[in-house]
Amino acid sequence: MEPFPEAFLQKVFSKAKTEKMSTIKVELALSPYMPGDRSYPITVERGLLDSVGRRMREAGLGGRCAVITNPYVGSLYSKRLLDSLRGAGLDPVTIEMPDGEEYKTLSSVSLVYDRLLKERFERDSTIVALGGGVVGDMAGFVAATFLRGVPYVQVPTTLLAQVDSSVGGKTGVNHPLGKNLIGAFYQPKAVFIDPDVLNTLEKREFISGLGEVVKYGVIRDGEFFSFLEKNRDRLLSLKDEITRAIERACAIKAEVVSMDERETGLRSILNLGHTFGHAIEAITGYTKFKHGEAVSIGMAMAAELSFFLGLTGKDAVRRIKDLLSGFGLPVSFRGISPPDFIETMRFDKKVKEGKIRFVLVEDIGKVILKDVDEGKLKGFLSGESFL
Ligand code: NAD
Ligand code: GLY
């Protein structure tokens, strides 16, 4: 496969300081509620797990810390992380929550509070989230609320967590009435990403995360999308291009979050594919598809809807669907009736005054937010795929 020209990589990965390591900054505005600079670094480097302790020290974090993880991720990576923390003079304890989305609940949070109180953790103690998005979201929520807020860092171990959930400060847990309904915006002090940990991730989990990676190309960076197209096989086999893809995805997310931390506008573009995707997940009981797979179908549908509404050309739709399916992701699901689809999407958080709001594609790298009339949506959902 043709290598990518260095000049292009320089431009796309302008924040990368060296081939091996890059630090991206999430710039945040000052807040009257939280004095001081809340901006924070995202560091991406193979083998980084062994230097998290030193880097936490450099970020001004020290003393006691609680590593929150689950038994499986803990069995793979806790020892290295704990060695690194102790080696830098930190004093860690490990708190495990059971593995699984069903444990991302207030009851799990409460058990963590119990342990932190028993261990006499104080305001300057740090929470370290070691795991995928489930651990990260819950640990972040614990940090946001324990003693009215303690510092935390993210050490994400799934691709989805590395490119999405660990960055941006959305923390929270599920409620019996819906996912992520209880939570807080609360930013970490740092995000430490070690792409090597992806070697132990199940292939299907990894590919599901690639759905979110593709999303960044579609919403904001056509050149990055081309990079993904050209390096498909190398990305799938976790060659160095995966580090570059994580860096670029994080840089795009950092930029969007910097401009709209609390999702009053621009940040909603990160939800491309999620309006259809959430409905697919809900109707199929959250068991048939992984999140990134449902988002992949949702992105393909959003692209097709954009074509149906005359917003984009066939070529963009074709490229999006080809890239997703080239990664082994699903791009269609016909098991839902249009009325069920519409009814479920009505409950989506993006519904405004009865109209259903979508992130739609104008071109690869350019999306818009648009309210779509339910009649048109029904016509679209009742029709066949165009391409
Ligand atoms: P997950 O956290 O459940 O992890 C998936 C599985 O992979 C788990 O069984 C986990 O134990 C295992 N695992 C994790 N790292 C591993 C590794 N390196 N090697 C082997 N196995 C490993 O799932 P996820 O996809 O990472 O996260 C999904 C969660 O993220 C959902 O709760 C979703 O709501 C949330 N999310 C949050 C945001 C946000 O902005 N906060 C964004 C997107 C998703
Ligand atoms: N995952 C979407 C966001 O962080 O806003």
Side-chain angles (χ1 to χ4, degrees):
M1 202 161 289
E2 207 177 75
F4 237 57
E6 200 48 42
F8 163 72
L9 291 174
Q10 291 289 333
K11 187 173 155 226
V12 172
F13 303 106
S14 57
K15 307 218 177 198
K17 287 195 179 116
T18 67
E19 278 270 310
K20 277 174 68 190
M21 191 199 94
S22 87
T23 299
I24 297 145
K25 198 162 179 205
V26 184
E27 308 271 4
L28 295 170
L30 293 175
S31 157
Y33 307 106
M34 278 185 219
D37 185 6
R38 296 177 306 120
S39 304
Y40 58 94
I42 305 164
T43 308
V44 188
E45 185 185 350
R46 287 191 183 267
L48 182 70
L49 203 55
D50 299 311
S51 59
V52 168
R54 172 174 62 77
R55 291 169 196 277
M56 279 177 63
R57 280 269 180 220
E58 286 165 6
L61 303 165
R64 308 202 67 201
C65 56
V67 175
I68 301 184
T69 189
N70 71 40
Y72 185 52
V73 176
S75 72
L76 293 168
Y77 299 114
S78 268
K79 186 178 176 322
R80 276 176 63 197
L81 180 61
L82 292 172
D83 284 351
S84 153
L85 296 173
R86 290 193 186 105
L90 285 96
D91 176 18
V93 298
T94 304
I95 303 178
E96 287 185 346
M97 63 177 283
D99 193 354
E101 183 74 38
E102 64 273 34
Y103 297 102
K104 201 177 109 176
T105 59
L106 281 175
S107 315
S108 301
V109 168
S110 188
L111 291 172
V112 179
Y113 293 150
D114 293 350
R115 181 77 190 282
L116 293 172
L117 289 168
K118 215 169 121 206
E119 299 274 354
R120 300 198 179 279
F121 267 67
E122 295 178 359
R123 261 259 172 85
D124 59 353
S125 310
T126 305
I127 303 286
V128 181
L130 173 70
V134 166
V135 165
D137 279 13
M138 199 204 68
F141 185 67
V142 167
T145 47
F146 182 69
L147 302 180
R148 298 199 181 89
V150 296
Y152 79 112
V153 301
Q154 293 273 11
V155 186
T157 61
T158 61
L159 182 57
L160 178 131
Q162 295 186 340
V163 299
D164 191 0
S165 62
S166 66
V167 175
K170 281 189 181 175
T171 73
V173 294
N174 301 326
H175 183 275
L177 292 181
K179 280 188 70 179
N180 297 324
L181 293 181
I182 315 295
F185 283 99
Y186 190 66
Q187 302 289 345
K189 293 288 178 202
V191 181
F192 299 111
I193 301 177
D194 183 346
D196 278 350
V197 302
L198 300 177
N199 285 313
T200 53
L201 195 61
E202 263 185 28
K203 195 81 187 163
R204 190 172 165 201
E205 288 291 353
F206 173 70
I207 288 174
S208 170
L210 284 172
E212 296 285 356
V213 175
V214 171
K215 178 188 81 179
Y216 290 106
V218 180
I219 60 173
R220 220 153 160 86
D221 191 339
E223 287 187 339
F224 179 53
F225 189 93
S226 305
F227 170 82
L228 298 175
E229 287 177 320
K230 293 200 176 168
N231 290 287
R232 189 191 68 186
D233 294 342
R234 292 182 63 81
L235 288 158
L236 282 169
S237 48
L238 286 165
K239 296 278 192 293
D240 272 352
E241 283 75 4
I242 196 66
T243 304
R244 294 185 156 180
I246 294 166
E247 287 163 3
R248 186 61 195 143
C250 286
I252 294 172
K253 180 144 189 190
E255 184 190 27
V256 171
V257 169
S258 296
M259 288 194 273
D260 178 22
E261 185 181 351
R262 290 193 162 241
E263 200 169 313
T264 54
L266 178 73
R267 186 166 176 164
S268 359
I269 68 170
L270 298 173
N271 294 325
L272 172 68
H274 286 61
T275 307
F276 286 124
H278 283 159
I280 293 168
E281 282 181 294
I283 292 172
T284 56
Y286 296 96
T287 48
K288 187 171 176 59
F289 297 107
K290 298 211 174 280
H291 178 68
E293 294 170 344
V295 168
S296 172
I297 299 171
M299 258 190 293
M301 291 181 75
E304 290 211 357
L305 176 60
S306 310
F307 176 73
F308 180 81
L309 297 172
L311 297 169
T312 197
K314 272 189 180 181
D315 184 52
V317 185
R318 164 65 57 214
R319 282 179 67 200
I320 292 168
K321 290 180 74 174
D322 282 354
L323 180 56
L324 292 167
S325 45
F327 280 137
L329 284 159
V331 289
S332 65
F333 180 61
R334 296 266 156 211
I336 303 172
S337 73
D340 282 354
F341 229 133
I342 291 174
E343 197 49 39
T344 311
M345 287 191 292
R346 276 209 192 103
F347 286 99
D348 191 280
K349 283 180 246 152
K350 287 172 289 299
V351 174
K352 288 251 158 60
E353 288 154 17
K355 289 197 169 179
I356 301 181
R357 177 159 290 189
F358 287 89
V359 183
L360 294 175
V361 180
E362 288 190 328
D363 202 350
I364 307 253
K366 191 159 184 271
V367 289
I368 49 163
L369 272 177
K370 203 169 166 55
D371 294 335
V372 179
D373 178 84
E374 282 193 17
K376 280 203 175 120
L377 201 54
K378 207 165 169 196
F380 166 71
L381 290 169
S382 310
E384 285 301 309
S385 166
F386 310 99
L387 301 163

